Amino acid sequence: DLPPVVDLPISQYEKTFKLRTNLCTALWTVRMGSVANYSQSLLNDFMQPIDQVMYVTTSGQNTSPLFIAGWLRDLRGVCKAACQQQHIFTDFIEWLLERSQIFYTLSQTSNPPLVTISLLRFICELVTPPTTYGRVNVSAASHSATGVLLFKFVAQMIQNVLTNAINDDMIAKVESQNCSTDTAYEYMLKPIFVCTQALRRCINGDFVPFGAMAFYQDPVYDDTVVGLCRLLAVFPLYLFTHYPKVPTEAMDFLRSMAEIQVFSPLACMNQSDLITLIEFAIAIATNTETKVSTLLHALSFLGFIASLVKPTKELLEQRRNAAMGTPQMKRNPDGSVSPAHLPSVPSMAAPTLGLGSNDINSASSMVRSSRHIKQKI
């Protein structure tokens, strides 16, 4: 018997509108009943009020930031409840994808932080594995059709939001210190933080369809990660000191990417971008004010990079010898001599980042070489 959520007092103030998330989660539990009685028609009936307020925004009748952020919080609340059951969550994702154009349009618009963060929190909730029923939300994990479309939707939203939230004018103001640290955080660092959190949850929760991406040669994962990594090194170090949770999340993401061995975006970065990313990790690790947890994440990522230096030098030396027609030789246990160089993979090879003696250049080359060798296998 409650009036529409949008008319409740908590929806009228910025300090209380976030409570709509918990309210919608509770309303779902009350109105949907037991799982045994669930049907898709019940889902459509429950979503109808939210559908109506979304239409009010798209038709231009109400484009108030608080109004838009409110129904985004409603959707987040529904997502938190629906993700507890696999088939219900799949129906919710299908409902969402049918209205994806609304979100694409919203993400391509320059919005105040109130809307931007509410949108990103909802996107992050989509890829947050439930704690009750395990990690897999979508049937057959990310490799179902729904799972592929979900990740592409999330990646596109992240790209759109970051493109609009972080522009040259804002970066110039930060570099010249013409804006406060709080403004820089709300408009740029906080969107980066939530986007990084979403991508980390994607790779930790099996939401990235690596098999489908490789089969269709879809670079959406690589492009999204590369774009995010480039933005990390744009800001001065003092901002990360003021807001330590941002570098913590960034280093945790890089660590996860290395440990789970989904570091293909590193092979897509040019030499200068890769070196800049490594220097950013070193700067965070050597900062005396860095938290211990952040330091451990940074050292883990840097350890991964360092582990590639020695084998890269050997690989490059072998390739040089092979190109000159004088492969390096080594003796077998029986005393015979055999070539020691690795098999070449010309059909899969791509331009290397650098063949100098510099360790960082060698490390970046090894990342690329490892990727192509694995693809060939």
Side-chain angles (χ1 to χ4, degrees), residues 3-112:
V5 175
V6 70
D7 296 331
L8 295 176
I10 63 171
S11 305
Q12 313 307 317
Y13 306 98
E14 289 190 19
K15 293 184 178 181
T16 58
F17 86 99
K18 295 180 181 179
L19 296 174
R20 292 173 63 167
T21 298
N22 294 335
L23 177 60
C24 280
T25 302
L27 289 176
W28 174 280
T29 304
V30 172
R31 293 181 176 175
M32 298 299 289
S34 65
V35 177
N37 297 327
Y38 169 80
S39 66
Q40 192 167 6
S41 60
L42 286 176
L43 172 67
N44 293 332
D45 291 341
F46 185 87
M47 299 301 295
Q48 186 175 4
I50 302 178
D51 218 349
Q52 291 174 350
V53 295
M54 291 170 62
Y55 175 77
V56 170
T57 296
T58 57
S59 63
Q61 300 177 40
N62 191 337
T63 56
S64 165
L66 185 59
F67 183 81
I68 297 174
W71 57 258
L72 286 170
R73 294 286 175 170
D74 292 345
L75 287 173
R76 185 186 179 193
V78 175
C79 183
K80 290 181 69 172
C83 72
Q84 299 300 327
Q85 294 291 334
Q86 181 175 294
H87 64 290
I88 299 178
F89 185 75
T90 302
D91 289 343
F92 173 72
I93 294 301
E94 291 176 355
W95 179 94
L96 175 68
L97 294 176
E98 290 175 357
R99 294 153 180 81
S100 59
Q101 190 58 46
I102 298 175
F103 297 91
Y104 290 143
T105 302
L106 187 62
S107 64
Q108 293 169 350
T109 307
S110 296
N111 297 301

Side-chain angles (χ1 to χ4, degrees), residues 242-279:
H242 280 82
Y243 304 100
K245 68 178 182 179
V246 180
T248 299
E249 186 61 47
M251 292 300 102
D252 194 11
F253 170 69
L254 294 176
R255 176 199 61 80
S256 299
M257 203 166 50
E259 289 186 357
I260 303 177
Q261 297 186 358
V262 289
F263 49 82
S264 60
L266 299 179
C268 300
M269 301 176 70
N270 58 45
Q271 177 176 323
S272 61
D273 287 339
L274 184 58
I275 292 176
T276 301
L277 179 64
I278 296 174
E279 289 177 343

